[in-house]
Amino acid sequence: MQPFELVRAPSPSDAAQLTKDEHTRLIAGGTNLLDLMKLQVETPSRLADISRLDCAEITDTPDGGLRIGALVTNTATAVHPRVRQDYPVLARAILAGATQQLRNKATTGGNLCQRTRCFYFTKIDQPCNKRDPGSGCSAIEGVAKLHAVLGTSDQCIATYPGDMAVAMSALDAEVHIMKEDGTERSVPVRDFHLLPGDTPWRENELGRGEMITAVTLPPPVGGAHYYRKVRERSSYAFALVSVAAVIEIEGGVFTRADLAFGGLAHKPWFDPAIGAVLLGKAADDALFDEAADVLLQSARGFGENDFKIPLARRTLRAVLTQAVEDAA
Amino acid sequence: MSTTRTENDGKARLDDMKQGVLGEPLPRIDGLAKVTGTARYAAEYPIDNCAEGVLVTSTITHGTVTRLDTQAALTMPGVIAVIDDSRLITRAVQGTAGEAPQQAPVTVCYWGQPIALVVAESFEQARDAAKRIHVEYDASPNPSLSPDDVTPEEQEDDTVSQGDLEQAMKDAAHSVDVRIATKGHASAAMEPHAAIADWDGEELTVHASLQMLNYNISELADALDIPEDKIRLIARFVGGGFGSKLGISPDVVAASLASIKLKRPVRVVLSRQQVFQCIMRRSETTQRLRLAATSEGKLIGFGHEALVSNLPGEEFCEPVLQSSHFMYRGENRELMLNLARIHRMTAGSVRAPGEAVGMPALEAAMDMLAEKSGVDPVQLRLMNIPDKDPENDLPFSSHKLAECLRQGADAFGWDAGPRKARQRREGEWWIGTGMASGARIHNTMESRTRVTLSADGTARVETDMTDIGTGTYTILAQMVAEMLGMDPAAVRVDIGDTRHPRGPGSGGSWGASSIGSAAFLACRAIREDLAARAGVAEEALDLRDGKVGGGRTLVDVLGGESLSHEGHYKPAKAQEEYTAAGFGAFFAQVRVNHFTGETRVDRMLGAFGFGRVLNRRTARSQFLGGLTWSIGTALTEALEFDPRDGHLVNCDLAEYHVPVHRDVPDLDVVLVEERDAIASPIEAKGIGELGMCGGAAAIGNAIYNACGARVLQFPITPDSVLASLPRDSCKLLREAGAMRGLA
Ligand SMILES: Cc1cc2nc3c(=O)[nH]c(=O)nc-3n(C[C@H](O)[C@H](O)[C@H](O)COP(=O)(O)OP(=O)(O)OC[C@H]3O[C@@H](n4cnc5c(N)ncnc54)[C@H](O)[C@@H]3O)c2cc1C
Ligand code: SF4
């Protein structure tokens, strides 16, 4: 860890302003940033503490949705009565992540911006295009069990490791961003994270001079909510594959199928075509496979993570099968 | 008064004692200090003017350091010095080595090897400066990184060739010939390796996290080239060791050298990554098992070969076959252990070296034999228990495997009979059961401890023996309280300090039986003194509740004097005439998700025969820990090395997966109590490691029983389960294609 100056941002727009300096990082719960600073993956010379800003509330929105402040802890979101009642997929996704202690510190904004768990990204003496542009990607021919099979590039095959954003993606939530001048813009969660392409260091839509202030959820979407996370140990492990699903089945046919996937790509994977396969059709194994075919049409493994391709298919099948059973 | 008693007459007499505290489930006497945070671990001692050191480690795998550019670091604020003394040790020292390794820090043999130490006023300054040291190397072009890259060396001591196994395999009604691989393991103790060294110009005092001070003091003296009597090592509390703290580690020597040079205290704490990268690993293994049996399942041939690895120059060789030599009958035998020299960090003792990976492989093969022969797995083990060591004809000191199998099967509710896979399904989950036997060799080591009975009727035990979380404090108090007839609360246990007599160290599961025996002998000498005063024979002396013979108090009999004896236990020659081991039987029920291949353990039971129970609570806890590690070995633990430069990629507890609470279900332990007079004077054997010697196979066998996936590797991860599922439908075949990237 390198020495740094700690300042407290008096307001979100001040915080946004501070990030114009490329050596400044916002710190919320610190559960990701501090680890990376100890490893010198992140070497900011200034930290702007946003943890006491007034963005730590969950409030109803006029249209009946919910606004979750950027500094609400993951625990507070997961236990909120309206989240549990109207958006259980979100509560389940959060509770499937990390540990209670981490969730008590982790925040909405920090969770969205958490960085990849790629083994090579976190070791500063290994080549990594994300950390050190142009140095190469060590994972492509290295230990890549955790890595992506969708939307990869020859520059980077890392995954976005989080759970919360996968559920938010299924729910079509919006990320609210404050700019340095105090104005706000918003971006759908589905578009917030980026694919690596030729710029793997750019992970999301957030630019310099911006800070996340909240995430809003649309009015309750109904349906049955599922979050299925496959992992090697039953807790405290990142997803090999995860599926967030909001499903409605009426008269034996799918009338809603909002599906997002974690562990497969540099972003929560959402493709409306996957759910569209199901809509208006009666459930059967062949139909599930057809949906999986759409999900996996461009999938490509890198040896160690080849298994994710059939695993994603099987996990999708598991979720849909369960939804059909529950609806019966 | 102080005399030395050296004795091992095999007659414990402990059962004649009257206090009745030995074996009782006394809560740990150090428990309160631990849970309230007042128990001090090595790095926690408040020491004035302590400087902080951080190790600089190599970023190449093999080669020579040609230049260490310290300029930038030395000019940073707070930085005091860069120590690149040739006496720095670059590897963790093997257990019981008693001397320092020969290798100098300029010769790099593995990625992450310590090269130098940066010392600064604050830890943060030292950590930052350590990253700014520019190291130039002359790197070797193609270091061997994988056991497949080299021709291995045969370990002749382990080779056994008896009869004709190949012929037996041909003659056998049922045979199994299978290869099973296990990945490397890290000890993964909670407390990182850490030391505070303080040189006062005359004497060096070192607080360190170490398991065997009796050897560590010699290792440190050798490393520093100063006499042992100038060194005091203190390790009163150790936050887990699991083998990784048997020998001194680089932090201990580095802190000491820095303190001597700078004439002030220096603390060195390894980062979690450094613990993973430069402390012991358990070698990965590839094993071949050959079992030849008659139509009823009686073994006529037994083959076990293993390939393991270590660094060039290291003597340690994961003793995979250790218990295979005597586990089962079979007159035609081939056993062979091979060692590949590769450039990964030192391989050494990690939790039950040998059996922890050898037994699961053997027991997976036994499960396959049970299936082939149609014999119930418990029956198959029972009928193959040898009545003496099948290789050297020695008798067993005691052997409770049959009782463990029977009592374990009973308590678990094992359905006897031939078995078929894929019989039970609950929703998405296949349910199955499996079992395995296990064994762990028993050793004891020379030990000394002083016991003092004070004039006020309280007692003190002093030794440099450590308690690494196992319960040594408590069982020593119980032993002395039992022998001298007092409340354990009246016994002060002062351990983990080399000013005291040399104990055996905590390792190889020999701690309790060895140090317990030394305490027993010291107490017996005190009893003889007391008997003389009371005018009775020692055997007739009745000590209970601080009273002699139910009448006079101890205080009275002592008459203002105190009695002190050093107990000196030396393993008896008679032990060499027996094969001694603890035995166990493991049973598990698992569920395997038929969609995702995830395995969860529903319940698990172990039944163990291991000599006398010294404390039912701490003994049970040792087994609960062993069963937990069995789950790790079975399902999650694996060191992953980069194929190009050999560095360890998953070097923290987020990515090296030990079981978490949710992975560990109801565990049940059956203690099959016995007395083993050969094993030690107190008739106890080792228990610490036994709980994980075979348990992983019970889980693997249960996975097979559940879903039909016979995974020939440990850990058994979801992807390996999916890849091994029987390919019994078109859909699955299509997935097999997808597995190869053809989706
Ligand atoms: C061992 C371990 C296991 C974990 N397991 C999981 C898991 O299974 N699933 C999972 O989803 N997560 C997991 N996590 C990650 C955890 O959820 C994140 O670390 C946490 O959510 C980050 O939140 P934070 O507030 O602590 O972020 P910080 O560490 O404070 O910040 C992280 C990043 O976000 C930026 N940031 C923070 N707030 C804002 C804002 N308002 N606007 C703009 N930028 C901002 C920071 O500048 C920084 O770059 C795990 C973490 C650890 C350490
Ligand atoms: S996958 Fe991405 S993060 Fe990992 S080494 Fe390659 S470039 Fe770096």
Side-chain angles (χ1 to χ4, degrees), chain A residues 25-35 42 50 70-71 74 96-99 102 105-115 117 161-164 206 210-213 229 236-239, chain B residues 654:
Chain A
R25 290 280 179 284
L26 303 181
I27 179 162
T31 59
N32 187 221
L33 183 58
L34 290 176
D35 278 359
E42 295 266 21
I50 56 172
L71 291 163
N74 280 180
T99 61
L102 283 160
K105 285 301 280 180
T107 64
T108 316
N111 196 313
L112 283 172
C113 298
Q114 69 175 289
R115 309 206 63 189
R117 309 303 288 198
D163 294 296
M164 180 192 81
L206 213 57
E210 293 190 322
M211 170 189 151
I212 299 171
T213 49
K229 178 177 179 181
Y236 196 39
F238 289 92

Short mmCIF file of all heavy atoms in Angstrom, two decimals, chain A residues 25-35 42 50 70-71 74 96-99 102 105-115 117 161-164 206 210-213 229 236-239, chain B residues 654, ligand 1:
data_model
loop_
_atom_site.label_atom_id
_atom_site.label_comp_id
_atom_site.label_asym_id
_atom_site.label_seq_id
_atom_site.Cartn_x
_atom_site.Cartn_y
_atom_site.Cartn_z
N ARG A 25 -9.51 7.99 -5.64
CA ARG A 25 -10.56 6.97 -5.65
C ARG A 25 -11.57 7.28 -4.55
O ARG A 25 -11.19 7.71 -3.47
CB ARG A 25 -10.00 5.58 -5.35
CG ARG A 25 -9.14 4.98 -6.39
CD ARG A 25 -9.96 4.36 -7.52
NE ARG A 25 -9.06 3.80 -8.52
CZ ARG A 25 -8.39 4.54 -9.41
NH1 ARG A 25 -8.56 5.85 -9.45
NH2 ARG A 25 -7.56 3.98 -10.27
N LEU A 26 -12.83 6.99 -4.86
CA LEU A 26 -13.85 7.07 -3.83
C LEU A 26 -13.75 5.81 -2.98
O LEU A 26 -13.52 4.73 -3.49
CB LEU A 26 -15.24 7.14 -4.46
CG LEU A 26 -15.49 8.28 -5.44
CD1 LEU A 26 -16.93 8.23 -5.95
CD2 LEU A 26 -15.21 9.63 -4.76
N ILE A 27 -13.93 5.97 -1.69
CA ILE A 27 -13.98 4.78 -0.84
C ILE A 27 -15.29 4.75 -0.09
O ILE A 27 -15.68 5.72 0.56
CB ILE A 27 -12.76 4.66 0.11
CG1 ILE A 27 -12.91 3.40 0.97
CG2 ILE A 27 -12.59 5.90 1.00
CD1 ILE A 27 -11.61 2.95 1.61
N ALA A 28 -15.98 3.61 -0.22
CA ALA A 28 -17.26 3.43 0.48
C ALA A 28 -17.03 2.45 1.62
O ALA A 28 -16.49 2.81 2.65
CB ALA A 28 -18.33 2.97 -0.50
N GLY A 29 -17.41 1.16 1.43
CA GLY A 29 -17.15 0.17 2.48
C GLY A 29 -15.68 -0.21 2.54
O GLY A 29 -15.17 -0.65 3.57
N GLY A 30 -15.00 -0.05 1.43
CA GLY A 30 -13.56 -0.35 1.40
C GLY A 30 -13.24 -1.83 1.28
O GLY A 30 -12.07 -2.20 1.25
N THR A 31 -14.24 -2.69 1.19
CA THR A 31 -13.95 -4.14 1.23
C THR A 31 -13.26 -4.64 -0.03
O THR A 31 -12.61 -5.67 -0.01
CB THR A 31 -15.24 -4.97 1.42
OG1 THR A 31 -16.13 -4.69 0.33
CG2 THR A 31 -15.92 -4.66 2.74
N ASN A 32 -13.39 -3.91 -1.10
CA ASN A 32 -12.68 -4.30 -2.31
C ASN A 32 -11.46 -3.40 -2.53
O ASN A 32 -10.34 -3.87 -2.76
CB ASN A 32 -13.64 -4.22 -3.51
CG ASN A 32 -13.03 -4.78 -4.78
OD1 ASN A 32 -13.20 -4.23 -5.84
ND2 ASN A 32 -12.32 -5.89 -4.68
N LEU A 33 -11.67 -2.13 -2.38
CA LEU A 33 -10.60 -1.17 -2.68
C LEU A 33 -9.38 -1.37 -1.76
O LEU A 33 -8.24 -1.37 -2.23
CB LEU A 33 -11.15 0.25 -2.53
CG LEU A 33 -10.18 1.38 -2.87
CD1 LEU A 33 -9.68 1.25 -4.30
CD2 LEU A 33 -10.84 2.74 -2.67
N LEU A 34 -9.61 -1.55 -0.47
CA LEU A 34 -8.46 -1.67 0.44
C LEU A 34 -7.63 -2.92 0.15
O LEU A 34 -6.41 -2.88 0.20
CB LEU A 34 -8.93 -1.63 1.89
CG LEU A 34 -9.44 -0.27 2.36
CD1 LEU A 34 -9.96 -0.34 3.79
CD2 LEU A 34 -8.34 0.80 2.27
N ASP A 35 -8.32 -4.02 -0.14
CA ASP A 35 -7.58 -5.25 -0.49
C ASP A 35 -6.67 -4.98 -1.69
O ASP A 35 -5.52 -5.40 -1.73
CB ASP A 35 -8.55 -6.38 -0.85
CG ASP A 35 -9.09 -7.08 0.40
OD1 ASP A 35 -8.71 -6.70 1.51
OD2 ASP A 35 -9.92 -8.00 0.23
N GLU A 42 -4.26 -1.20 -6.85
CA GLU A 42 -4.74 0.19 -6.85
C GLU A 42 -3.74 1.01 -6.05
O GLU A 42 -3.36 0.63 -4.95
CB GLU A 42 -6.11 0.28 -6.17
CG GLU A 42 -7.22 -0.45 -6.89
CD GLU A 42 -8.01 0.44 -7.85
OE1 GLU A 42 -7.48 1.50 -8.26
OE2 GLU A 42 -9.16 0.06 -8.18
N ILE A 50 -16.62 8.62 1.02
CA ILE A 50 -18.01 9.01 0.76
C ILE A 50 -18.96 8.34 1.74
O ILE A 50 -20.17 8.49 1.65
CB ILE A 50 -18.44 8.67 -0.68
CG1 ILE A 50 -18.22 7.18 -0.97
CG2 ILE A 50 -17.68 9.52 -1.69
CD1 ILE A 50 -18.82 6.75 -2.32
N ALA A 70 -26.68 4.77 -2.90
CA ALA A 70 -25.38 4.16 -3.21
C ALA A 70 -24.66 3.67 -1.96
O ALA A 70 -23.83 2.78 -2.03
CB ALA A 70 -24.50 5.16 -3.95
N LEU A 71 -24.98 4.26 -0.80
CA LEU A 71 -24.25 3.88 0.41
C LEU A 71 -25.05 2.98 1.33
O LEU A 71 -24.64 2.70 2.46
CB LEU A 71 -23.78 5.14 1.14
CG LEU A 71 -22.68 5.83 0.32
CD1 LEU A 71 -22.47 7.25 0.76
CD2 LEU A 71 -21.40 5.02 0.40
N ASN A 74 -25.15 -3.72 1.77
CA ASN A 74 -25.76 -4.91 1.17
C ASN A 74 -26.70 -5.58 2.17
O ASN A 74 -27.76 -6.08 1.81
CB ASN A 74 -24.68 -5.90 0.71
CG ASN A 74 -24.06 -5.51 -0.62
OD1 ASN A 74 -23.19 -6.19 -1.12
ND2 ASN A 74 -24.50 -4.41 -1.22
N ALA A 96 -26.47 -14.41 -1.33
CA ALA A 96 -25.62 -15.48 -1.88
C ALA A 96 -24.16 -15.02 -2.03
O ALA A 96 -23.30 -15.80 -2.38
CB ALA A 96 -26.14 -15.92 -3.24
N GLY A 97 -23.91 -13.74 -1.75
CA GLY A 97 -22.56 -13.21 -1.94
C GLY A 97 -21.80 -13.03 -0.65
O GLY A 97 -22.38 -12.73 0.39
N ALA A 98 -20.50 -13.22 -0.73
CA ALA A 98 -19.57 -12.88 0.34
C ALA A 98 -20.00 -13.48 1.68
O ALA A 98 -20.48 -14.61 1.73
CB ALA A 98 -19.39 -11.37 0.43
N THR A 99 -19.81 -12.73 2.75
CA THR A 99 -20.18 -13.21 4.10
C THR A 99 -20.95 -12.10 4.80
O THR A 99 -20.93 -10.94 4.35
CB THR A 99 -18.93 -13.49 4.96
OG1 THR A 99 -18.20 -12.26 5.09
CG2 THR A 99 -18.02 -14.53 4.33
N LEU A 102 -18.79 -9.06 5.49
CA LEU A 102 -18.52 -8.25 4.30
C LEU A 102 -19.77 -7.50 3.87
O LEU A 102 -19.72 -6.32 3.52
CB LEU A 102 -18.02 -9.14 3.15
CG LEU A 102 -16.56 -9.59 3.25
CD1 LEU A 102 -16.31 -10.82 2.40
CD2 LEU A 102 -15.62 -8.46 2.84
N LYS A 105 -20.51 -4.25 5.48
CA LYS A 105 -19.69 -3.09 5.07
C LYS A 105 -19.93 -2.73 3.61
O LYS A 105 -19.87 -1.56 3.23
CB LYS A 105 -18.19 -3.42 5.22
CG LYS A 105 -17.64 -3.42 6.62
CD LYS A 105 -17.80 -2.09 7.31
CE LYS A 105 -16.73 -1.09 6.90
NZ LYS A 105 -16.91 0.21 7.60
N ALA A 106 -20.19 -3.71 2.79
CA ALA A 106 -20.29 -3.49 1.34
C ALA A 106 -21.48 -2.60 1.01
O ALA A 106 -22.53 -2.70 1.63
CB ALA A 106 -20.43 -4.83 0.62
N THR A 107 -21.32 -1.74 0.02
CA THR A 107 -22.38 -0.81 -0.35
C THR A 107 -22.87 -1.07 -1.78
O THR A 107 -22.21 -1.75 -2.56
CB THR A 107 -21.85 0.63 -0.29
OG1 THR A 107 -20.82 0.77 -1.29
CG2 THR A 107 -21.28 0.98 1.08
N THR A 108 -23.99 -0.45 -2.10
CA THR A 108 -24.57 -0.60 -3.44
C THR A 108 -23.57 -0.15 -4.51
O THR A 108 -23.31 -0.87 -5.49
CB THR A 108 -25.84 0.26 -3.57
OG1 THR A 108 -26.62 0.11 -2.39
CG2 THR A 108 -26.65 -0.11 -4.79
N GLY A 109 -23.03 1.05 -4.31
CA GLY A 109 -22.12 1.61 -5.32
C GLY A 109 -20.85 0.78 -5.42
O GLY A 109 -20.37 0.47 -6.52
N GLY A 110 -20.29 0.42 -4.27
CA GLY A 110 -19.05 -0.36 -4.26
C GLY A 110 -19.25 -1.72 -4.88
O GLY A 110 -18.39 -2.23 -5.60
N ASN A 111 -20.40 -2.32 -4.61
CA ASN A 111 -20.66 -3.64 -5.15
C ASN A 111 -20.74 -3.59 -6.68
O ASN A 111 -20.17 -4.43 -7.38
CB ASN A 111 -21.95 -4.22 -4.56
CG ASN A 111 -22.05 -5.71 -4.79
OD1 ASN A 111 -21.82 -6.17 -5.89
ND2 ASN A 111 -22.40 -6.45 -3.76
N LEU A 112 -21.41 -2.55 -7.21
CA LEU A 112 -21.49 -2.41 -8.68
C LEU A 112 -20.11 -2.26 -9.29
O LEU A 112 -19.85 -2.73 -10.39
CB LEU A 112 -22.34 -1.19 -9.05
CG LEU A 112 -23.85 -1.32 -8.93
CD1 LEU A 112 -24.51 0.04 -9.15
CD2 LEU A 112 -24.39 -2.34 -9.95
N CYS A 113 -19.24 -1.54 -8.56
CA CYS A 113 -17.92 -1.22 -9.13
C CYS A 113 -16.82 -2.19 -8.69
O CYS A 113 -15.66 -1.97 -9.00
CB CYS A 113 -17.50 0.19 -8.71
SG CYS A 113 -18.61 1.45 -9.33
N GLN A 114 -17.18 -3.25 -7.98
CA GLN A 114 -16.13 -4.19 -7.54
C GLN A 114 -15.41 -4.74 -8.75
O GLN A 114 -15.97 -4.90 -9.83
CB GLN A 114 -16.72 -5.31 -6.70
CG GLN A 114 -17.60 -6.28 -7.47
CD GLN A 114 -18.05 -7.44 -6.61
OE1 GLN A 114 -17.24 -8.30 -6.27
NE2 GLN A 114 -19.30 -7.46 -6.22
N ARG A 115 -14.14 -5.03 -8.54
CA ARG A 115 -13.31 -5.42 -9.68
C ARG A 115 -13.19 -6.93 -9.79
O ARG A 115 -13.57 -7.67 -8.89
CB ARG A 115 -11.95 -4.72 -9.55
CG ARG A 115 -12.18 -3.22 -9.32
CD ARG A 115 -11.06 -2.37 -9.77
NE ARG A 115 -10.85 -2.45 -11.20
CZ ARG A 115 -9.79 -1.92 -11.81
NH1 ARG A 115 -8.87 -1.28 -11.10
NH2 ARG A 115 -9.65 -2.01 -13.12
N ARG A 117 -12.00 -10.86 -10.01
CA ARG A 117 -11.17 -11.69 -9.14
C ARG A 117 -10.13 -12.45 -9.95
O ARG A 117 -9.55 -13.41 -9.44
CB ARG A 117 -12.03 -12.69 -8.36
CG ARG A 117 -13.22 -12.13 -7.63
CD ARG A 117 -12.93 -11.04 -6.63
NE ARG A 117 -12.28 -11.46 -5.42
CZ ARG A 117 -12.25 -10.73 -4.30
NH1 ARG A 117 -12.88 -9.56 -4.25
NH2 ARG A 117 -11.60 -11.15 -3.23
N PRO A 161 -17.45 -10.20 -11.05
CA PRO A 161 -17.67 -11.30 -10.11
C PRO A 161 -18.94 -11.20 -9.25
O PRO A 161 -19.29 -12.13 -8.55
CB PRO A 161 -16.44 -11.21 -9.21
CG PRO A 161 -16.10 -9.75 -9.19
CD PRO A 161 -16.51 -9.20 -10.53
N GLY A 162 -19.64 -10.07 -9.31
CA GLY A 162 -20.69 -9.81 -8.32
C GLY A 162 -21.97 -10.57 -8.56
O GLY A 162 -22.23 -11.10 -9.65
N ASP A 163 -22.81 -10.58 -7.52
CA ASP A 163 -24.13 -11.21 -7.58
C ASP A 163 -25.25 -10.18 -7.67
O ASP A 163 -26.21 -10.35 -8.41
CB ASP A 163 -24.34 -12.07 -6.33
CG ASP A 163 -23.39 -13.25 -6.29
OD1 ASP A 163 -23.49 -14.10 -7.17
OD2 ASP A 163 -22.53 -13.29 -5.38
N MET A 164 -25.13 -9.11 -6.85
CA MET A 164 -26.20 -8.13 -6.74
C MET A 164 -26.61 -7.58 -8.11
O MET A 164 -27.80 -7.48 -8.44
CB MET A 164 -25.74 -6.99 -5.83
CG MET A 164 -26.77 -5.90 -5.62
SD MET A 164 -26.02 -4.44 -4.83
CE MET A 164 -25.28 -3.64 -6.26
N LEU A 206 -19.08 4.57 -15.79
CA LEU A 206 -18.72 5.69 -14.95
C LEU A 206 -17.50 6.41 -15.52
O LEU A 206 -16.48 5.78 -15.79
CB LEU A 206 -18.40 5.14 -13.56
CG LEU A 206 -18.71 5.94 -12.33
CD1 LEU A 206 -20.19 6.31 -12.27
CD2 LEU A 206 -18.33 5.10 -11.10
N GLU A 210 -17.52 11.55 -11.90
CA GLU A 210 -18.87 11.01 -11.66
C GLU A 210 -18.89 10.11 -10.43
O GLU A 210 -17.89 9.49 -10.10
CB GLU A 210 -19.35 10.20 -12.88
CG GLU A 210 -19.58 11.05 -14.11
CD GLU A 210 -20.27 10.29 -15.22
OE1 GLU A 210 -19.96 9.09 -15.42
OE2 GLU A 210 -21.11 10.89 -15.89
N MET A 211 -20.06 10.08 -9.81
CA MET A 211 -20.25 9.19 -8.67
C MET A 211 -21.65 8.57 -8.75
O MET A 211 -22.59 9.25 -9.15
CB MET A 211 -20.11 9.98 -7.37
CG MET A 211 -20.53 9.17 -6.16
SD MET A 211 -20.62 10.11 -4.63
CE MET A 211 -21.90 9.16 -3.80
N ILE A 212 -21.75 7.33 -8.35
CA ILE A 212 -23.07 6.68 -8.30
C ILE A 212 -23.78 7.18 -7.04
O ILE A 212 -23.19 7.20 -5.96
CB ILE A 212 -22.93 5.15 -8.23
CG1 ILE A 212 -22.21 4.64 -9.45
CG2 ILE A 212 -24.29 4.48 -8.06
CD1 ILE A 212 -21.82 3.18 -9.37
N THR A 213 -25.04 7.60 -7.19
CA THR A 213 -25.79 8.04 -6.01
C THR A 213 -26.86 7.03 -5.60
O THR A 213 -27.24 6.97 -4.44
CB THR A 213 -26.48 9.39 -6.26
OG1 THR A 213 -27.17 9.31 -7.51
CG2 THR A 213 -25.47 10.52 -6.28
N LYS A 229 -27.00 -19.81 -7.65
CA LYS A 229 -25.56 -19.56 -7.76
C LYS A 229 -24.82 -20.88 -7.60
O LYS A 229 -24.96 -21.53 -6.57
CB LYS A 229 -25.14 -18.56 -6.67
CG LYS A 229 -23.66 -18.24 -6.64
CD LYS A 229 -23.37 -17.18 -5.58
CE LYS A 229 -21.89 -16.86 -5.50
NZ LYS A 229 -21.59 -15.86 -4.48
N TYR A 236 -19.39 -18.14 0.65
CA TYR A 236 -18.09 -17.48 0.64
C TYR A 236 -17.25 -17.92 -0.55
O TYR A 236 -16.08 -18.27 -0.43
CB TYR A 236 -17.36 -17.78 1.95
CG TYR A 236 -16.19 -16.87 2.26
CD1 TYR A 236 -16.22 -15.52 1.99
CD2 TYR A 236 -15.04 -17.38 2.87
CE1 TYR A 236 -15.15 -14.70 2.28
CE2 TYR A 236 -13.96 -16.57 3.17
CZ TYR A 236 -14.02 -15.24 2.87
OH TYR A 236 -12.96 -14.44 3.18
N ALA A 237 -17.89 -17.97 -1.71
CA ALA A 237 -17.17 -18.27 -2.94
C ALA A 237 -17.89 -17.55 -4.06
O ALA A 237 -19.11 -17.37 -4.02
CB ALA A 237 -17.15 -19.76 -3.21
N PHE A 238 -17.13 -17.13 -5.04
CA PHE A 238 -17.73 -16.44 -6.18
C PHE A 238 -18.41 -17.45 -7.10
O PHE A 238 -18.09 -18.64 -7.08
CB PHE A 238 -16.66 -15.63 -6.92
CG PHE A 238 -16.22 -14.45 -6.12
CD1 PHE A 238 -15.13 -14.53 -5.26
CD2 PHE A 238 -16.93 -13.26 -6.17
CE1 PHE A 238 -14.74 -13.45 -4.49
CE2 PHE A 238 -16.56 -12.18 -5.40
CZ PHE A 238 -15.46 -12.26 -4.55
N ALA A 239 -19.34 -16.95 -7.90
CA ALA A 239 -20.13 -17.83 -8.75
C ALA A 239 -19.28 -18.43 -9.85
O ALA A 239 -18.48 -17.74 -10.48
CB ALA A 239 -21.29 -17.05 -9.36
N ALA B 654 -9.74 -16.46 0.27
CA ALA B 654 -10.93 -16.29 -0.57
C ALA B 654 -10.88 -17.28 -1.73
O ALA B 654 -11.91 -17.77 -2.17
CB ALA B 654 -11.02 -14.87 -1.11
C1 LIG C 1 -13.49 -12.45 0.34
C2 LIG C 1 -14.54 -11.75 -0.43
C3 LIG C 1 -15.59 -12.49 -0.98
C4 LIG C 1 -16.57 -11.82 -1.69
N1 LIG C 1 -17.58 -12.55 -2.24
C5 LIG C 1 -18.50 -11.93 -3.01
C6 LIG C 1 -19.54 -12.63 -3.64
O1 LIG C 1 -19.65 -13.85 -3.50
N2 LIG C 1 -20.42 -11.94 -4.39
C7 LIG C 1 -20.34 -10.58 -4.54
O2 LIG C 1 -21.17 -10.01 -5.22
N3 LIG C 1 -19.36 -9.89 -3.96
C8 LIG C 1 -18.45 -10.53 -3.20
N4 LIG C 1 -17.45 -9.81 -2.62
C9 LIG C 1 -17.27 -8.42 -3.02
C10 LIG C 1 -18.00 -7.45 -2.17
O3 LIG C 1 -19.35 -7.56 -2.43
C11 LIG C 1 -17.47 -6.08 -2.56
O4 LIG C 1 -16.17 -5.98 -2.05
C12 LIG C 1 -18.29 -4.97 -2.02
O5 LIG C 1 -19.59 -5.03 -2.53
C13 LIG C 1 -17.69 -3.63 -2.39
O6 LIG C 1 -18.39 -2.62 -1.74
P1 LIG C 1 -17.62 -1.51 -0.90
O7 LIG C 1 -18.63 -0.51 -0.49
O8 LIG C 1 -16.85 -2.11 0.19
O9 LIG C 1 -16.67 -0.92 -2.02
P2 LIG C 1 -15.27 -0.20 -1.92
O10 LIG C 1 -14.21 -1.21 -1.69
O11 LIG C 1 -15.35 0.94 -1.01
O12 LIG C 1 -15.18 0.33 -3.39
C14 LIG C 1 -15.06 -0.53 -4.50
C15 LIG C 1 -14.93 0.33 -5.76
O13 LIG C 1 -16.13 1.02 -6.00
C16 LIG C 1 -15.90 2.41 -6.10
N5 LIG C 1 -17.06 3.05 -5.52
C17 LIG C 1 -17.60 2.82 -4.30
N6 LIG C 1 -18.72 3.53 -4.15
C18 LIG C 1 -18.88 4.26 -5.27
C19 LIG C 1 -19.85 5.21 -5.71
N7 LIG C 1 -20.89 5.52 -4.95
N8 LIG C 1 -19.69 5.76 -6.92
C20 LIG C 1 -18.66 5.43 -7.72
N9 LIG C 1 -17.72 4.55 -7.35
C21 LIG C 1 -17.83 3.97 -6.15
C22 LIG C 1 -14.62 2.63 -5.34
O14 LIG C 1 -13.97 3.78 -5.79
C23 LIG C 1 -13.86 1.39 -5.65
O15 LIG C 1 -13.23 1.49 -6.88
C24 LIG C 1 -16.49 -10.43 -1.87
C25 LIG C 1 -15.46 -9.71 -1.29
C26 LIG C 1 -14.48 -10.36 -0.58
C27 LIG C 1 -13.39 -9.55 0.02
#
